């Protein structure tokens, strides 16, 4: 697929920049808006203080890129490194890719994913990975990049009391 077939006509001026601790409120708002859009608002417990502590403190857990239009945040990508034993390589996992509804379809998402890929390459990574909610209408967006859906993998999660029990050895 050629670049012209892939990229939409970008008709707005978007600036990308690394997030700062001052962006914690924006990060929390955009994550909450995404959850509400996916009818999962009740699942979000993260607060701006959590983003400040976990994204900018001494034990940094993720990186974030903010997309701005005319100085106002309109999107973000939150990602972190991981290692694949099967591929014997480092990668970046895109945990959240959020584009404000007002600018969806204008190339903001493409710019964000491309910037994460550039960052991955600079870090010596050989791949990107992400999860997409089944109901997310943007799934074909990732297909256009060449991301492939893995039918052989299922995402599992252990959280809450059951996590505590296992961690405490109460098997």
């Amino acid at each position: 697929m050629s670049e012209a077939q892939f990229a939409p006509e970008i008709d707005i001026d978007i600036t990308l920049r690394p997030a700062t601790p001052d962006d914690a409120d924006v990060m929390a708002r955009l994550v909450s808006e995404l959850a509400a859009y996916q009818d999962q608002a009740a699942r979000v417990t993260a607060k701006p203080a959590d983003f400040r502590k976990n994204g900018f403190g001494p034990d940094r857990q993720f990186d974030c890129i903010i997309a701005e239009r005319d100085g106002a945040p309109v999107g973000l990508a939150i990602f972190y490194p991981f290692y694949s034993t099967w591929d014997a390589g480092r990668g970046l996992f895109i945990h959240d890719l959020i584009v404000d509804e007002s600018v969806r379809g204008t190339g903001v998402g493409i710019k964000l994913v491309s910037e994460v890929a550039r960052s991955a390459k600079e870090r010596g990574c050989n791949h990107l990975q992400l999860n997409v909610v089944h109901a997310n209408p943007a799934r074909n967006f990732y297909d256009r990049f060449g991301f492939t859906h893995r039918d052989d993998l299922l995402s599992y999660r252990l959280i809450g009391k059951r996590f505590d029990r296992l961690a405490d050895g109460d098997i």
Side-chain angles (χ1 to χ4, degrees), residues 62-152:
F62 63 86
D63 288 296
C64 180
I65 298 168
I66 301 287
E68 293 181 329
R69 176 184 188 191
D70 299 325
V74 293
L76 63 74
I78 295 175
F79 56 97
Y80 48 85
F82 73 99
Y83 183 80
S84 171
T85 57
W86 285 26
D87 297 326
R90 296 172 28 179
L92 289 183
F93 185 88
I94 300 173
H95 191 272
D96 287 305
L97 179 69
I98 304 170
V99 176
D100 188 84
E101 195 170 0
S102 67
V103 294
R104 287 187 190 143
T106 64
V108 174
I110 290 169
K111 288 182 86 168
L112 284 164
V113 172
S114 180
E115 182 63 14
V116 174
R118 186 196 60 72
S119 179
K121 195 169 187 178
E122 278 184 359
R123 297 174 190 207
C125 298
N126 65 7
H127 60 285
L128 295 177
Q129 189 166 324
L130 51 80
N131 292 329
V132 181
V133 175
H134 284 285
N136 188 336
R139 285 173 54 189
N140 63 0
F141 167 81
Y142 300 106
D143 294 337
R144 292 187 335 197
F145 275 108
F147 281 92
T148 55
H149 173 79
R150 301 280 309 261
D151 288 329
D152 60 331

Side-chain angles (χ1 to χ4, degrees), residues 13-36:
D13 187 30
I14 296 297
T15 303
L16 301 181
R17 63 172 178 78
T20 70
D22 292 338
D23 292 312
D25 289 330
V26 168
M27 295 163 71
R29 177 181 59 83
L30 288 172
V31 167
S32 292
E33 288 174 2
L34 174 64

Side-chain angles (χ1 to χ4, degrees), residues 158-170:
L158 186 62
I159 191 168
K161 290 179 183 178
R162 291 185 178 219
F163 167 79
D164 292 336
R165 283 180 40 205
L166 183 62
D168 293 341
D170 185 13

